């Protein structure tokens, strides 16, 4: 039996996922909500970005299911002891990537370590050379011959597999769409390939194929090589990058989730109630705004470190300790970033409270609470949505900066910021250890770019001012 | 006749691409001669503004384009000119003034700069010469104190002044043709009269032609030489003014006249045009008006009518003018107007008594928001509305009439005064007690577009008040009542599941009325409920309001600036000026024999539809003073043509004669 471990951030992430699913189910029956979303997905760039974002989310969700494995039963007490190491579903899926640890740095697709070592030969003589990697290119034997051929063969295999999978995907897609529109599969497949549908299914298919290609390349190549090299302690950089996705997503989403209720409540209240409530809210956020954010974050994180050090017994595993720090970082980032949304919502509520439909509601004797929830809230949701999506990418980047400075996530936690921080010292080395930095950059770049493109599409679709028609 | 100044030949405009492109202008041909005022009349969405914009080639880009036809200005085809040449035409040969003077001026440039720009562009005038010319033009459009105004910014001017500045910008290039797109719709009647008079006078001085676009038959009657009626992208009738107002031939034009409310139609329901303007995104195989026309027959559906000529240069697009076809006889012309439903049934409703109502808004200044003064929006208004009666409240914008309505219903808390409804003192009610009482009095807003939450279905919107007031025990009960209300206001109950944006303006106002009725009110405050609607739709709403009053015995406080609506609907009328009522009495009395000089001026300024009864317009100088600093003495004396010495010193007391009250020293 495995022992499930539910971390705080896990619980919040699944809560968020559940909220999103519920919202989608709810929105399906509301044409005024569905219409702008259809507009979002009718753009090719946005559709492709969504597919990429979903791939990231999938990795993040897989990485959010944690558990501990039982140790081999020893003794006859019947009591099961569990390993101190907390694993996630992703760890299991990537299998050997996690465990195949080299001694230290090695370049992508390398066969030997990056630095020379003095080794003892069988005859007892000492030689200084690059040691052979234990796992990297292990299939090629000690002689290390035909590496290019092997890589080529494996890549070709991946391409073939991708083609097959894509055709299969096209068939599934056409069968599903065809059934919905009551058309034969072949005809639907044709319309998809001609891109004649209102939602760009061809773009979605192509993006998915690209992702599948990357997946198969990873499966085929990463099994035999360290595709993105290894880091200082020999861990696979590709594995580290994958694990960092969850951290980035948690920071990007949970921060906004934590600040949302507060920002929405105070913002609308200030705008709707006006008077002294408005004054108080305004003074609070102007004051908060004038304190440098990094200062607050640094102070809060240092305080938390002291707390953790003094109460080590509260946490069973290091993962739990790192997790509480991550959560705290989200909270403190949320506290420093809610003011922007609050200000926007206050302005919007000020405008709406004079709207005639609000006055009509007052005229019917509708209570204030009802007016806020039924009339004001639904009419400011587009502002909230646009802000959340726009904030996401800046928060992902903020994590990297904060970890680099040293007030970000726990050093034991995998994150792009920590990867960059680790690579920083090696940049001065000759030859340069470039792969950690590049890997973190690539993953972060793709995620943030996709998020930005998506948020542009969301803003265009939801903001009444930018709608050109 | 000489060559026309402007000649449109089969002008066709499309918005958008492909099969579903919208055709707002579909084959319009017309001629405008020098020195003539040509009026283009029509409801909203008929392509009037698009026609004007396409003459200047200012169609919205990139979706709008001229697909067919020619625009000749003095024989030169504008449609073929390159854009650089076109710039020479705009502002120089053809100028345009827009509906909204508030947004047509650049807020960061002075008035002088904005007019000077035109001079520099088209006449190469600079420096001193340009400045002198600007002052001259400003003077010509009747702006007082031109040297000061020259250096002022748009926000320092009132609406009427801004429209004058717009006109002076248009005139600076000394155009041959001035296109005026609803030039006075955003202005009050007394200001409107000033601006129309100015346009007429300028036309006499310069001999320019005016293309006047409007929906107001009254303006057409007082301004136009020739009239063209536009409907669904086409001209459907063209005639000289007298001919048009005497003998309009197209059924649509005739209907427009019949749907106008006035005092003689009081006892009847107004004639309405059912339905709405058809969508313009397809070809028509018959007459475009056929489905709304009550004299149409099968032939109209299958044949597109030609542009038939009648006597005196009158044309109309109707098969009834084609002598080769024998149209079936109709009884529509002779059909008597429907009488309004049975006599008034006064069921139990309460009397509304407003006494000395005052609403003063504080003006805050400085860091500590010290109160620096008050805006005296409503300054001592007394009204009395017996059950089942309609009290109208008229006045220009900013005189506080809407504030009276809202303060009566406690939507704005009055600063002073009593509002007695039945035996309850409303100003003393607070919180829950007031909330419970709200079902007795309701409000209908001016703009049905903004008075419904766009994210709720209309059924829920109507139901909301019932939930709040606890009417109907179960959801089924309430739904049944919504169903009944929808039928009552003339909407299909299947529409309950739709969203507000799916309805036309008139339908939305019906929903708003249904919503107000849902809580069984005894008094409804109607704040300009028809001013955002077209004439034909206005008639439908007025009919509905009248019918509801007769069957339910409702009282109305009807706030409006439209005097013909007052004469049709109201029992009594109160005229407001700067927060106070200057005259009050039965409708017939006040409108026929106005006593107060302001009422007289207001009545004379309203453009009337009858061409022959052209009355002398009493011209009021200047604008309404600011309610933050009302003048000493009688508030009206700075603008009053009959002001006396006494008027400067104190506010006149009420003079009562019969049930007609007036506040003026002339009648004491």
């Amino acid at each position: 039996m495995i022992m499930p471990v539910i971390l705080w951030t896990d619980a919040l992430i699944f809560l968020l996922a559940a909220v999103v699913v519920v919202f989608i189910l709810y929105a399906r029956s509301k044409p005024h909500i569905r219409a702008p979303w259809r507009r979002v997905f009718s753009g090719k760039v946005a559709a492709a970005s969504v597919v990429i974002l979903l791939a990231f989310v999938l990795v993040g969700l897989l990485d959010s299911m944690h558990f501990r494995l039982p140790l081999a039963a020893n003794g006859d007490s019947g009591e099961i002891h569990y390993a101190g190491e907390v694993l996630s579903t992703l760890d299991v899926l990537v299998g050997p990537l996690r465990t195949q640890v080299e001694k230290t740095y090695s370049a992508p697709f390398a066969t030997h370590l990056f630095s020379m070592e003095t080794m003892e030969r069988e005859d007892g003589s000492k030689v200084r050379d690059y040691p052979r990697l234990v796992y990297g290119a292990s299939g090629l034997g000690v002689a290390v011959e035909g590496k290019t051929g092997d890589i080529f063969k494996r890549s070709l295999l991946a391409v073939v597999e991708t083609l097959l999978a894509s055709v299969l995907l096209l068939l599934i897609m056409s069968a599903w769409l065809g059934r919905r529109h009551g058309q034969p599969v072949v005809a639907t497949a044709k319309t998809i390939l001609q891109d004649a549908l209102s939602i760009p299914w061809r773009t979605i298919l192509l993006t998915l194929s690209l992702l599948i290609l990357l997946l198969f390349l990873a499966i085929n190549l990463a099994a035999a090589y360290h595709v993105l090299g290894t880091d200082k302690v020999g861990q696979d950089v590709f594995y580290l990058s994958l694990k960092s996705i969850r951290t980035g997503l948690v920071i990007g989403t949970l921060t906004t989730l934590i600040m949302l209720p507060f920002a929405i409540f105070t913002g609308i209240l200030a705008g709707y109630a006006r008077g002294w409530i408005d004054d108080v809210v305004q003074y609070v956020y102007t004051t908060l705004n004038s304190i440098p954010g990094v200062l607050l974050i640094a102070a809060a994180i240092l305080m938390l470190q002291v707390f953790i050090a003094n109460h080590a017994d509260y946490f069973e595993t290091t993962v739990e300790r790192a997790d509480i720090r991550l959560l705290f970082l989200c909270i403190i980032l949320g506290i420093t970033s809610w003011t922007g949304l609050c200000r926007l919502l206050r302005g919007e509520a000020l405008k709406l409270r004079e709207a005639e439909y609000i006055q009509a509601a007052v005229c019917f004797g509708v209570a204030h609470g009802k007016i806020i929830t039924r009339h004001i809230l639904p009419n400011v949701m587009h502002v909230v949505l646009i802000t959340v999506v726009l904030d996401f990418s800046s928060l992902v980047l903020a994590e990297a900066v904060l970890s680099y400075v040293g007030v970000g996530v726990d050093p034991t936690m995998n994150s792009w910021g920590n990867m960059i921080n680790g690579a920083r010292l090696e940049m001065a080395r000759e030859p340069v250890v470039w792969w950690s930095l590049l890997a973190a950059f690539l993953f972060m770049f793709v995620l943030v770019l996709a998020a930005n493109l998506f948020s542009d599409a969301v803003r265009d679709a939801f903001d009444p001012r930018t709608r050109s028609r | 006749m000489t060559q026309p100044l402007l000649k449109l030949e089969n002008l066709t405009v499309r918005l958008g691409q492909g099969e579903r492109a919208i055709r707002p202008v579909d084959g319009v041909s017309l001629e405008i001669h020098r020195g003539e005022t040509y009026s283009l009349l029509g409801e909203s969405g008929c392509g009037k503004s698009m026609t004007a914009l396409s003459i200047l080639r200012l169609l919205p880009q990139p979706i709008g384009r001229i697909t067919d036809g020619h625009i000749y200005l003095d024989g030169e085809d504008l449609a073929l000119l390159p854009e650089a040449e076109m710039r020479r035409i705009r502002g120089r040969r053809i100028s345009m003034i827009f509906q909204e003077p508030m947004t047509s001026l650049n807020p960061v440039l002075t008035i002088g700069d904005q007019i000077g720009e035109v001079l520099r562009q088209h006449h190469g005038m600079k420096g001193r010469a340009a400045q002198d010319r600007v002052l001259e033009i400003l003077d010509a459009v009747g702006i007082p104190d031109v040297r000061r105004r020259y250096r002022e910014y748009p926000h320092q001017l009132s609406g009427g002044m801004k429209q004058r500045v717009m006109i002076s910008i248009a005139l600076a290039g000394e155009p041959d043709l001035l296109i005026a797109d609803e030039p006075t719709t955003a202005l009050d009647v007394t200001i409107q009269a000033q601006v129309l008079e100015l346009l007429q006078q300028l036309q006499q001085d310069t001999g320019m032609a005016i293309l006047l676009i409007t929906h107001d038959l009254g303006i057409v009657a007082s301004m136009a030489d020739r009239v063209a009626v536009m409907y669904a992208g086409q001209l459907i009738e063209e005639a000289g003014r007298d001919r048009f107002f005497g003998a309009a031939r197209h059924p649509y034009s005739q209907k427009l006249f019949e749907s106008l409310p006035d005092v003689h139609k009081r006892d009847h329901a107004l004639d309405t045009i059912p339905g709405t303007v058809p969508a313009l995104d397809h070809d028509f195989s018959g007459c475009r008006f056929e489905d709304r026309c009550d004299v149409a027959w099968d032939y109209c559906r299958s044949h597109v009518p030609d542009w038939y000529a009648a006597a005196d240069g009158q044309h109309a697009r109707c098969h009834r003018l084609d002598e080769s076809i024998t149209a079936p006889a109709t009884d529509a012309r002779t059909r008597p107007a429907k009488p309004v439903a049975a006599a008034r049934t006064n069921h139990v409703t309460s009397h509304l008594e407003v006494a000395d109502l005052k609403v003063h808004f504080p003006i805050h200044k400085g860091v500590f928001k010290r109160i620096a003064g008050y805006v005296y929006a409503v300054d001592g208004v007394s009204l009395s509305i017996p059950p089942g009666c309609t009290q109208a409240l008229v006045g220009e914008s900013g005189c506080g009439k809407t504030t009276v309505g809202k303060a009566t219903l406690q939507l704005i808390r009055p600063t002073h005064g009593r509002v007695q409804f039945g035996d309850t003192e409303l100003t003393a009610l607070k919180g829950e007690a007031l909330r419970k009482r709200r079902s007795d009095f309701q409000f209908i807003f001016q703009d049905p577009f903004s008075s419904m939450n766009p994210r709720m279905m209309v059924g829920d919107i109507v139901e909301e008040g019932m939930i709040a007031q606890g009417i109907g025990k179960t959801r089924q009960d309430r739904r049944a009542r919504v169903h009944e209300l929808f039928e009552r206001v003339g909407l299909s109950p299947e529409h309950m599941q739709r969203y507000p944006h799916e309805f036309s303006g008139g339908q939305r106002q019906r929903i708003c009325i249904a919503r107000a009725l849902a809580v069984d009110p005894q008094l409804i405050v109607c704040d300009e409920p028809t001013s955002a609607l077209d004439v034909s739709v206005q008639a439908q709403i007025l009919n509905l309001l009248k019918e509801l009053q007769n069957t339910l015995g409702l009282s109305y406080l009807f706030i409006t600036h439209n005097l013909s609506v007052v004469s049709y609907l109201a029992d009594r009328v109160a005229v407001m000026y700067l927060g106070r009522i200057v005259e009050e009495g039965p409708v017939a009395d006040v409108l026929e024999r106005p006593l107060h000089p302001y009422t007289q001026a207001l009545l004379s300024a309203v453009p009337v539809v009858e061409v022959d009864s052209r009355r002398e317009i009493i011209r009021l100088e200047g604008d309404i003073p600011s309610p933050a600093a009302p003048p000493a003495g009688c508030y009206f004396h700075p603008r009053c043509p009959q002001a006396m010495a006494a008027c400067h010193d104190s506010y006149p007391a009420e003079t009562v004669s019969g049930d007609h009250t007036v506040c003026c020293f002339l009648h004491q």
Side-chain angles (χ1 to χ4, degrees):
Chain A
M1 271 308 285
I2 56 166
M3 177 166 90
V5 176
I6 299 173
L7 301 174
W8 273 102
T9 49
D10 290 347
L12 289 171
I13 276 187
F14 282 105
L15 177 71
L16 182 65
V19 168
V20 170
V21 170
V22 169
F23 174 76
I24 290 172
L25 291 179
Y26 171 77
R28 282 165 67 96
S29 63
K30 302 273 170 179
H32 67 268
I33 305 177
R34 220 170 47 192
W37 280 111
R38 275 197 86 86
R39 266 204 301 280
V40 170
F41 288 107
S42 61
K44 288 182 178 173
V45 177
S49 317
V50 169
V51 172
I52 291 173
L53 281 178
L54 282 178
F56 273 96
V57 169
L58 181 70
V59 174
L61 284 178
L62 284 175
D63 202 11
S64 297
M65 292 185 257
H66 288 101
F67 50 82
R68 283 161 76 180
L69 288 175
L71 293 170
N74 54 342
D76 13 56
S77 57
E79 196 182 345
I80 308 169
H81 290 275
Y82 290 95
E85 195 181 19
V86 177
L87 295 180
S88 75
T89 324
L90 184 73
D91 293 329
V92 176
L93 285 177
V94 299
L97 268 189
R98 181 175 62 89
T99 48
Q100 291 178 348
V101 179
E102 305 291 344
K103 200 165 177 193
T104 181
Y105 289 114
S106 70
F109 293 105
T111 50
H112 292 85
L113 272 184
F114 185 65
S115 48
M116 286 211 214
E117 271 179 24
T118 314
M119 291 178 293
E120 203 169 316
R121 284 203 190 143
E122 280 170 14
D123 55 6
S125 63
K126 292 201 172 161
V127 70
R128 196 166 163 73
D129 198 2
Y130 297 104
R132 179 77 173 87
L133 292 180
V134 187
Y135 302 102
S138 53
L140 301 177
V142 188
V144 196
E145 270 176 10
K147 186 173 98 172
T148 325
D150 186 50
I151 292 175
F152 183 71
K153 214 167 67 192
R154 285 171 185 273
S155 308
L156 202 64
L157 185 62
V159 171
V160 173
E161 285 167 338
T162 308
L163 283 177
L164 288 175
S166 299
V167 171
L168 190 67
L169 196 66
L170 175 65
L171 287 177
I172 294 171
M173 209 182 249
S174 347
W176 180 63
L177 280 177
R179 218 184 56 170
R180 252 188 12 179
H181 298 293
Q183 276 182 347
V185 176
V186 182
T188 321
K190 221 175 248 172
T191 46
I192 289 177
L193 290 179
Q194 284 164 352
D195 209 8
L197 291 157
S198 61
I199 286 178
W201 287 108
R202 188 175 68 174
T203 312
I204 294 175
L205 184 72
L206 287 177
T207 320
L208 276 174
S209 304
L210 187 71
L211 287 172
I212 292 171
L213 176 67
L214 288 175
L215 178 72
F216 279 122
L217 279 175
I219 289 174
N220 284 323
L221 291 170
Y225 298 92
H226 296 294
V227 283
L228 291 172
T230 55
D231 74 347
K232 192 170 185 172
V233 290
Q235 281 183 300
D236 190 283
V237 173
F238 180 56
Y239 169 70
L240 292 181
S241 308
L242 283 180
K243 292 286 280 181
S244 300
I245 288 175
R246 175 175 182 272
T247 315
L249 290 179
V250 166
I251 295 267
T253 54
L254 284 195
T255 303
T256 31
L257 184 76
I258 284 164
M259 68 132 177
L260 264 192
F262 197 59
I264 291 178
F265 180 74
T266 48
I268 291 182
L269 193 68
Y272 183 74
R274 299 202 302 193
W276 65 268
I277 297 178
D278 189 20
D279 287 347
V280 169
V281 172
Q282 274 196 72
Y283 278 117
V284 168
Y285 73 58
T286 3
T287 314
L288 260 181
N289 252 3
S290 41
I291 302 171
V294 177
L295 190 78
L296 267 186
I297 294 167
I301 291 295
L302 291 177
M303 264 156 56
L304 183 78
Q305 267 178 346
V306 173
F307 174 82
I308 291 176
N310 290 344
H311 301 86
D313 48 325
Y314 285 14
F315 310 98
E316 271 187 49
T317 57
T318 50
V319 172
E320 278 173 40
R321 211 165 57 207
D323 180 72
I324 211 74
R325 181 159 163 178
L326 177 65
L327 182 67
F328 210 75
L329 185 67
C330 288
I331 293 173
I332 193 72
L333 272 174
I335 289 175
T336 50
S337 67
W338 66 276
T339 49
L341 180 60
C342 179
R343 190 193 311 238
L344 276 178
L345 289 179
R346 174 183 166 266
E348 204 70 14
L350 270 178
K351 202 174 74 192
L352 280 179
R353 79 187 296 279
E354 301 300 328
E356 288 185 342
Y357 56 84
I358 306 282
Q359 300 222 343
V362 173
C363 207
F364 284 114
V366 179
H368 292 306
K370 265 244 163 82
I371 290 180
I372 289 180
T373 50
R374 270 175 81 105
H375 293 289
I376 294 189
L377 195 58
N379 282 296
V380 298
M381 276 327 268
H382 67 280
V383 180
V384 175
L385 185 76
I386 292 167
T387 315
V388 166
V389 184
L390 280 176
D391 274 359
F392 172 80
S393 43
S394 60
L395 285 167
V396 172
L397 297 177
E399 183 275 326
V401 173
L402 289 174
S403 299
Y404 176 81
V405 175
V407 293
V409 296
D410 195 85
T412 62
M413 182 156 237
N414 299 312
S415 88
W416 292 314
N418 278 342
M419 282 169 73
I420 294 171
N421 195 21
R424 171 177 61 125
L425 297 171
E426 311 301 334
M427 292 300 285
R429 206 164 149 155
E430 182 61 38
V432 173
V433 176
W434 46 269
W435 45 90
S436 285
L437 200 67
L438 184 81
F441 167 75
L442 269 184
F443 273 76
M444 219 153 59
F445 174 74
V446 172
L447 176 64
V448 170
L449 183 67
N452 279 347
L453 291 173
F454 176 63
S455 62
D456 273 353
V458 168
R459 193 184 43 206
D460 287 351
F462 280 86
D463 195 338
R465 277 165 301 186
T466 57
R467 206 170 300 157
S468 49
R469 278 138 286 142
Chain B
M1 240 183 189
T2 51
Q3 191 187 27
L5 174 67
L6 179 82
K7 185 174 176 192
L8 302 186
E9 254 181 33
N10 192 32
L11 182 70
T12 306
V13 173
R14 290 195 181 211
L15 295 179
Q17 301 283 337
E19 281 298 295
R20 307 298 287 174
I22 295 170
R23 298 150 216 196
V25 182
D26 202 1
V28 166
S29 303
L30 56 84
E31 290 181 1
I32 301 175
H33 295 273
R34 285 175 192 281
E36 172 184 61
T37 302
Y38 188 94
S39 186
L40 207 51
L41 180 77
E43 291 181 276
S44 51
C46 281
K48 310 183 299 271
S49 295
M50 282 297 164
T51 309
L53 289 174
S54 56
I55 292 172
L56 284 168
R57 297 231 315 255
L58 289 174
L59 289 169
Q61 291 301 327
I63 51 164
R65 62 194 195 287
I66 299 170
T67 50
D68 197 11
H70 302 279
I71 306 163
Y72 295 107
L73 182 71
D74 267 337
E76 188 182 13
D77 192 348
L78 298 186
L80 301 175
L81 283 184
E83 184 58 28
E85 284 288 296
M86 202 55 213
R87 234 171 280 150
R88 189 175 50 78
I89 304 280
R90 287 184 204 129
R92 177 71 188 88
R93 304 287 309 279
I94 308 177
S95 293
M96 184 154 178
I97 48 182
F98 296 91
Q99 176 172 354
E100 196 54 76
M102 324 300 165
T103 53
S104 305
L105 289 170
N106 186 339
V108 297
L109 289 180
T110 61
I111 303 304
D113 284 345
Q114 299 195 39
I115 304 173
E117 194 181 3
V118 183
L119 295 176
R120 195 167 57 246
Q121 179 76 30
H122 293 296
H123 300 282
M125 286 169 93
K126 280 189 200 124
R128 189 105 213 123
Q131 188 181 343
D132 288 345
R133 176 77 186 125
V134 170
L135 294 177
E136 206 179 301
I137 299 169
L138 283 175
D139 202 44
V141 297
I143 290 179
D145 199 4
V146 284
R147 293 207 170 267
R148 185 163 62 89
R149 297 293 183 200
Y150 183 86
R151 271 184 290 279
E152 285 193 341
Y153 290 90
H155 73 266
Q156 291 168 295
L157 304 179
S158 66
M161 282 296 162
K162 278 187 207 156
Q163 195 60 298
R164 280 169 194 266
V165 171
M166 281 308 295
I167 292 173
S168 61
I169 290 176
L171 288 178
E174 294 164 23
D176 298 325
L177 173 67
L178 177 71
I179 300 176
D181 187 359
E182 307 260 9
T184 56
T185 308
L187 305 175
D188 284 310
V189 273
T190 56
I191 311 293
Q192 165 173 301
Q194 291 172 8
V195 170
L196 291 181
E197 195 189 315
L198 171 70
L199 282 177
Q200 262 171 338
Q201 182 208 329
L202 289 168
Q203 186 177 29
Q204 274 164 19
D205 296 349
T206 61
M208 65 180 173
I210 297 180
L211 172 58
L212 179 71
I213 295 171
T214 183
H215 67 277
D216 188 331
L217 281 165
I219 294 178
V220 175
S222 62
M223 291 285 291
D225 297 312
R226 278 195 301 144
V227 184
V229 183
M230 211 166 167
Y231 183 80
Q234 287 186 325
L235 293 190
I236 55 158
E237 178 152 15
E238 185 186 40
R241 178 187 61 187
D242 297 348
R243 181 100 197 143
F244 179 72
F245 283 91
R249 295 298 297 272
H250 197 281
Y252 175 68
S253 320
Q254 293 164 350
K255 279 285 194 184
L256 279 184
F257 286 113
E258 283 159 21
S259 59
L260 281 180
D262 76 45
V263 68
H264 308 298
K265 299 175 187 161
R266 270 186 82 90
D267 301 330
H268 307 290
L270 292 170
D271 220 339
T272 59
I273 307 178
T276 50
V277 182
L280 298 176
D281 58 356
H282 58 93
D283 286 324
F284 289 88
S285 59
C287 173
R288 293 177 184 211
F289 187 57
E290 169 267 320
D291 56 340
R292 302 175 71 188
C293 182
D294 52 10
V295 295
W297 76 104
D298 301 345
Y299 190 79
C300 297
R301 198 162 300 129
S302 50
H303 293 77
V304 177
D306 276 336
W307 189 230
Y308 300 108
D312 287 341
Q314 186 175 20
H315 290 78
R317 204 178 287 278
C318 178
H319 287 306
R320 290 194 173 266
L321 267 72
D322 187 354
E323 274 132 27
S324 62
I325 307 167
T326 40
T330 60
D331 51 349
R333 294 288 116 240
T334 54
R335 193 186 58 190
K338 270 182 289 174
V340 180
R344 302 193 167 181
T345 52
N346 280 357
H347 78 161
V348 269
T349 52
S350 307
H351 195 103
L352 178 80
E353 196 72 55
V354 178
D356 200 25
L357 188 75
K358 288 183 184 170
V359 182
H360 297 172
F361 297 111
I363 305 169
H364 296 284
K365 270 200 181 139
V367 186
F368 298 104
K369 306 207 174 147
R370 193 168 41 83
I371 293 172
Y374 289 95
V375 174
Y376 301 96
V378 178
D379 200 18
V381 162
S382 303
L383 284 172
S384 164
I385 308 180
C389 280
T390 304
Q391 168 82 51
L393 197 56
V394 297
E396 295 176 274
S397 57
C399 73
K401 35 185 210 307
T402 300
T403 314
V404 169
K406 289 189 174 167
T408 307
L409 299 198
Q410 309 299 310
L411 290 176
I412 299 172
R413 284 304 191 145
T415 320
H416 178 261
R418 289 185 302 107
V419 180
Q420 185 100 22
F421 186 68
D423 44 12
T424 325
E425 174 59 42
L426 295 186
T427 50
L429 287 183
K430 281 207 182 80
E432 197 58 32
L434 177 62
R435 210 174 287 154
K436 286 228 174 71
R437 203 63 216 279
R438 285 207 179 275
S439 63
D440 287 344
F441 33 91
Q442 279 304 309
F443 202 94
I444 294 174
F445 293 90
Q446 171 174 2
D447 185 3
F449 296 80
S450 62
S451 59
M452 281 187 284
N453 187 341
R455 293 173 198 274
M456 278 167 75
M457 285 187 287
V458 292
D460 296 335
I461 289 174
V462 175
E463 199 184 336
E464 182 177 33
M466 285 192 262
I467 298 173
Q469 291 297 332
I471 295 172
K473 287 195 177 55
T474 62
R475 190 173 159 79
Q476 277 74 31
D477 287 356
R478 291 194 297 264
R479 281 281 141 177
R481 187 165 160 75
V482 175
H483 197 281
E484 182 196 281
L485 284 165
F486 264 61
E487 278 175 349
R488 162 142 239 161
V489 299
L491 287 169
S492 162
E494 287 106 65
H495 291 170
M496 285 196 308
Q497 307 290 327
R498 295 196 187 170
Y499 287 89
H501 68 88
E502 295 172 66
F503 294 91
S504 68
Q507 285 175 318
R508 285 185 218 202
Q509 198 59 287
R510 284 168 192 270
I511 297 166
C512 289
I513 293 173
R515 170 171 70 174
L517 291 177
V519 292
D520 261 332
Q522 301 174 19
L523 168 78
I524 299 184
V525 176
C526 308
D527 185 9
E528 312 234 15
T530 59
S531 62
L533 306 175
D534 282 316
V535 183
S536 63
V537 183
Q538 162 176 303
Q540 299 171 7
I541 298 296
L542 292 180
N543 283 345
L544 177 64
L545 287 174
K546 201 155 194 167
E547 187 212 310
L548 290 172
Q549 181 167 53
N550 289 337
T551 49
L552 300 175
L554 300 171
S555 317
Y556 291 135
L557 175 59
F558 202 91
I559 297 165
T560 184
H561 64 270
N562 188 335
L563 289 168
S564 55
V565 172
V566 171
S567 65
Y568 173 71
L569 197 70
D571 299 308
R572 297 180 68 83
V573 58
V575 182
M576 265 187 95
Y577 186 78
L578 216 60
R580 294 190 178 180
I581 289 176
V582 295
E583 184 165 4
E584 203 273 338
V587 165
D589 250 20
V590 174
L591 297 189
E592 297 297 318
R593 288 178 298 283
L595 295 176
H596 198 281
Y598 177 66
T599 318
Q600 290 164 359
L602 200 63
L603 283 171
S604 76
V606 177
V608 281
V609 174
E610 291 92 49
V611 180
D612 19 301
S613 70
R614 303 190 87 182
R615 291 171 294 179
E616 186 60 32
I617 292 176
I618 303 170
R619 200 173 148 182
L620 290 183
E621 292 302 329
D623 293 300
I624 304 183
S626 160
C634 174
Y635 289 175
F636 186 57
H637 85 261
R639 298 175 76 195
C640 182
Q642 302 176 56
M644 306 173 293
C647 304
H648 294 260
D649 301 329
S650 60
Y651 197 86
E654 280 183 7
T655 318
V656 185
S657 64
D659 54 357
H660 191 153
T661 315
V662 65
C663 294
C664 185
F665 286 115
L666 285 174
H667 303 284
Q668 282 184 349

